[in-house]
Amino acid sequence: MRRRHSLLAAYPVLEETFQFPQLMTLTGSHLIAGRESAPHGHFYHGVNPANSTQLKPAYADATKDEADEAMCAAEGAFDALRLAPVETRAALLDAIADEIMALGDALLERAHAETGLPMARVTGERARAVGQCKLFASLIREGSWADARIDHAIADRQPLPKPDVRRVMMPIGPVVVFGASNFPFAIGVVGTDTVCALAAGCPVVVKGHPAHPGTCEMLGRAVMKALQKTGLPAGCFSLLHGRGTEIGMALVKHPHTQAVGFTGSLRGGRALMDAAAERSHPIPVYAEMGSINPVFVLPGALKERASKIAEAYIGSVTMGVGQFCTNPAIVLGLKGTELKQFVSNATAHATKVAPQSMLHRGICEAYDAGTAVWQTIDGIDLAAESEMRVNHEATQAACRIFTTTLDVLEANEELRREVFGPCSVITECSTLEDMLRFANSIEGQLSAMIHGTDQDLIDFAPLIRVLEKKVGRLIFNGFATGIEVCPSMHHGGPYPASSHSHFTSIGTASIYRWTRPVCYQGFPDAALPEALRGKNSRGSMRTVDGTLTRDDA
Ligand code: NAP
């Protein structure tokens, strides 16, 4: 079997000693429309990055036949899912939340063991995943998300009669989801992508992330149980394990796949986008591929509170060992004593940050290699590094803060590329024009941050006007890490931050990735979908003859 060089494949496994107490429940099987398909072929294991031990059971790459079986089952279940009463789909999401919680501490312990993420973090992330299930359940129960629009006929309109026209958002069909390595719950098997696709009425086939296969299996079993409980077809969900490109590519190219959700590297996301575009029937790939998230610390803010901003900045850089796509990788400030003070505060905090285990050895090695390249560049200084020694056996990464000037940043593309991990570059600019030039030169970003005073916002207004064209989310006096899951959240940005800047992968608006508008002209009331009938049975907000209303039409 052809394999691309995988970051994970580089993991030096020491010994297979770790016995997971809940081994009984894990078999390593692919879960295909309620059927367990035993692993065979090339085996791999989850690995505990904190002690380099393998975790049982063994997993294996799904085959193309298994991918085909999952996609055909998804296509077969599509009508049942999309035509099921809204209450049934909402009950499915509630049941998934319940089944996740029913896994109890065993789920948290497995995720902790497979990712190195602290128990407090995985506990918080589980709450977010469960909250997302409930949020989408209430979104579809309320119904306004479907954006129903009704324009009544005007038979005697001159010079021509106006027809009765109505439109509503409808699910697109089977969706393939690639779980992220850095959010095993909230952007994993039961993460936003999966949950909002099911909410919309789209069956889901997940390609689990090979760095935490046991966590994926536990969550996949939770979804299977929830489907059984709610009486929906098992084909609404499948989980396939696998490393390397073959299984993912087979899913993206499968004729039944209608869209793809992905969170990960630019290289991976771009490969999937290209494969989807080359299909005879191209499909959208909604890829969220990371960012350098520049931070502009303006003079008023530096004068007022350099030390506080520096502390919060280091907190953001090192949160989750820097393994966030919203990590503030570049900070820009105007040359002067206040910027010097900021650097001195930031470096003082950075040295105190204890090294921590990264998700897997591949990511850790990529981090060390990326920051080592930075150190070879003329004009960049390693201003601070975690004082405590790194334990390489525990896949640990040290916090590294660099300083440089804008000229050097502009001359070296490597410095403007994401290095995934707890590092960042503080950059000295000479003038506002310098900052503007940099902002104008950057590629699409998920976010940018401005730290300033009200007067700074007036003096630096052109900066905001430039950043609006470059980013998906602008943050004032805060940091982008720690994303709120809410209706107004936008987590996406112009390419290469994401593949479609119009869409978000977090928050309730993420549901629109899996839907398309369908327009009905001249249909009698009884033949229309529920959301478009005269009686507004859910009391949803609809646009009737140009006016937003919850009334009957
Ligand atoms: P990744 O390498 O992009 O992989 C993500 C998923 O996509 C995995 O299941 C991977 O399978 C699959 N995949 C990748 N390339 C593929 C291809 N050409 N064809 C088919 N499937 C493919 O991301 P990762 O493993 O999470 O971490 C690696 C790097 O991604 C990090 O160092 C970081 O730079 C970036 N990252 C970004 C984010 C973000 O939020 N945007 C999150 C996590 C990581 P295999 O692993 O089996 O190849």
Side-chain angles (χ1 to χ4, degrees):
M1 185 179 285
R2 192 176 55 81
R3 227 167 247 287
R4 105 187 140 88
H5 175 73
S6 161
L7 288 175
L8 274 171
Y11 208 111
V13 172
L14 297 181
E15 52 184 322
E16 192 168 334
T17 54
F18 188 94
Q19 282 280 338
F20 187 65
Q22 278 73 25
L23 182 60
M24 310 296 291
T25 61
L26 296 179
T27 63
S29 298
H30 309 289
L31 307 175
I32 305 175
R35 181 181 83 78
E36 297 201 21
S37 186
H40 53 272
H42 295 276
F43 289 100
Y44 64 93
H45 291 78
V47 176
N48 186 335
N51 57 19
S52 300
T53 53
Q54 283 187 334
L55 303 171
K56 287 181 177 175
Y59 290 83
D61 302 336
T63 61
K64 282 189 179 166
D65 286 346
E66 286 166 326
D68 181 55
E69 185 186 342
M71 290 316 308
C72 289
E75 175 65 15
F78 180 38
D79 276 344
L81 183 62
R82 77 187 183 95
L83 300 174
V86 166
E87 186 45 50
T88 306
R89 290 210 307 274
L92 169 66
L93 303 179
D94 285 339
I96 293 173
D98 293 345
E99 291 299 332
I100 295 171
M101 291 311 293
L103 290 167
D105 289 349
L107 175 67
L108 301 177
E109 283 159 15
R110 179 75 193 200
H112 168 63
E114 283 184 325
T115 64
L117 296 171
M119 284 299 277
R121 154 71 196 275
V122 290
T123 306
E125 198 188 315
R126 179 183 64 176
R128 175 169 151 189
V130 166
Q132 286 174 169
C133 293
K134 305 261 179 202
L135 182 67
F136 282 103
S138 61
L139 184 84
I140 58 172
R141 280 191 180 106
E142 194 277 335
S144 304
W145 77 272
D147 190 18
R149 299 167 188 216
I150 299 173
D151 288 293
H152 286 107
I154 307 175
D156 56 357
R157 190 183 68 171
Q158 293 302 325
L160 289 170
K162 180 183 176 186
D164 184 286
V165 184
R166 303 175 185 223
R167 71 159 244 189
V168 69
M169 300 308 281
M170 293 242 160
I172 47 169
V175 159
V176 167
V177 167
F178 288 77
S181 59
N182 55 343
F183 279 91
F185 302 150
I187 319 182
V189 173
V190 293
T192 322
D193 291 348
T194 298
V195 165
C196 68
L198 292 172
C202 299
V204 177
V205 175
V206 177
K207 192 270 185 182
H209 199 287
H212 51 257
T215 307
C216 290
E217 185 183 341
M218 293 178 98
L219 294 169
R221 289 180 181 281
V223 181
M224 266 170 59
K225 277 191 183 170
L227 281 167
Q228 281 163 6
K229 264 190 186 172
T230 41
L232 283 162
C236 292
F237 174 83
S238 294
L239 166 67
L240 300 174
H241 303 285
R243 289 183 306 178
T245 62
E246 284 194 32
I247 180 63
M249 283 296 176
L251 291 170
V252 171
K253 290 179 182 168
H254 197 281
H256 290 323
T257 304
Q258 296 302 317
V260 177
F262 169 91
T263 301
S265 63
L266 174 59
R267 193 178 60 167
R270 182 60 200 244
L272 301 182
M273 285 166 67
D274 290 345
E278 279 167 15
R279 290 169 45 125
S280 57
H281 287 76
I283 55 168
V285 173
Y286 296 104
E288 194 269 90
M289 300 173 289
S291 212
I292 53 172
N293 309 295
V295 186
F296 297 84
V297 189
L298 301 181
L302 269 185
K303 204 170 202 161
E304 225 176 67
R305 47 180 198 279
S307 135
K308 271 196 170 157
I309 300 170
E311 185 177 0
Y313 157 61
I314 296 301
S316 179
V317 169
T318 55
M319 186 186 283
V321 207
Q323 299 165 119
F324 287 132
C325 47
T326 47
N327 216 35
I330 293 180
V331 174
L332 299 107
L334 290 188
K335 189 176 179 170
T337 49
E338 282 94 4
L339 184 62
K340 279 195 182 133
Q341 187 58 48
F342 174 83
V343 170
S344 145
N345 292 139
T347 53
H349 287 294
T351 51
K352 293 196 191 81
V353 175
Q356 285 179 43
S357 299
M358 294 193 83
L359 292 163
H360 57 78
R361 190 165 297 277
I363 280 189
C364 192
E365 286 175 356
Y367 170 70
D368 284 336
T371 52
V373 167
W374 287 0
Q375 287 181 66
T376 63
I377 295 171
D378 274 349
I380 186 160
D381 290 317
L382 177 62
E385 186 169 28
S386 303
E387 264 169 9
M388 201 184 285
R389 264 190 66 217
V390 166
N391 177 353
H392 292 288
E393 288 306 312
T395 325
Q396 286 182 349
C399 170
R400 296 189 182 114
I401 300 297
F402 296 84
T403 51
T404 192
T405 60
L406 188 60
D407 292 345
V408 176
L409 188 68
E410 285 179 331
N412 292 280
E413 208 192 325
E414 304 93 306
L415 290 175
R416 304 192 303 278
R417 273 202 222 113
E418 182 187 56
V419 172
F420 206 59
C423 60
S424 186
V425 184
I426 305 174
T427 308
E428 185 184 274
C429 301
S430 300
T431 61
L432 164 63
E433 283 65 40
D434 277 356
M435 278 194 182
L436 277 179
R437 194 176 71 241
F438 175 75
N440 260 309
S441 74
I442 54 175
E443 295 187 298
Q445 301 293 323
L446 292 170
S447 71
M449 289 141 272
I450 295 176
H451 286 262
T453 59
D454 289 352
Q455 188 58 44
D456 282 332
L457 286 187
I458 295 166
D459 298 342
F460 288 71
L463 179 64
I464 302 170
R465 301 289 86 82
V466 172
L467 291 175
E468 285 165 352
K469 294 185 279 182
K470 297 286 185 175
V471 312
R473 181 162 59 117
L474 266 174
I475 295 133
F476 184 57
N477 287 344
F479 287 91
T481 40
I483 301 176
E484 186 65 31
V485 179
C486 61
S488 49
M489 179 47 65
H490 186 76
H491 188 60
Y495 185 85
S498 61
S499 51
H500 294 269
S501 62
H502 184 79
F503 293 95
T504 179
S505 57
I506 294 181
T508 51
S510 59
I511 195 171
Y512 292 112
R513 294 172 300 166
W514 319 127
T515 63
R516 65 183 180 86
V518 179
C519 182
Y520 297 79
Q521 188 167 325
F523 273 70
D525 199 73
L528 287 164
E530 185 198 351
L532 293 180
R533 291 186 193 149
K535 174 100 189 117
N536 188 1
S537 52
R538 286 195 174 272
S540 322
M541 194 61 87
R542 307 189 295 181
T543 306
V544 179
D545 296 325
T547 302
L548 277 170
T549 176
R550 291 187 187 274
D551 294 344
D552 291 342

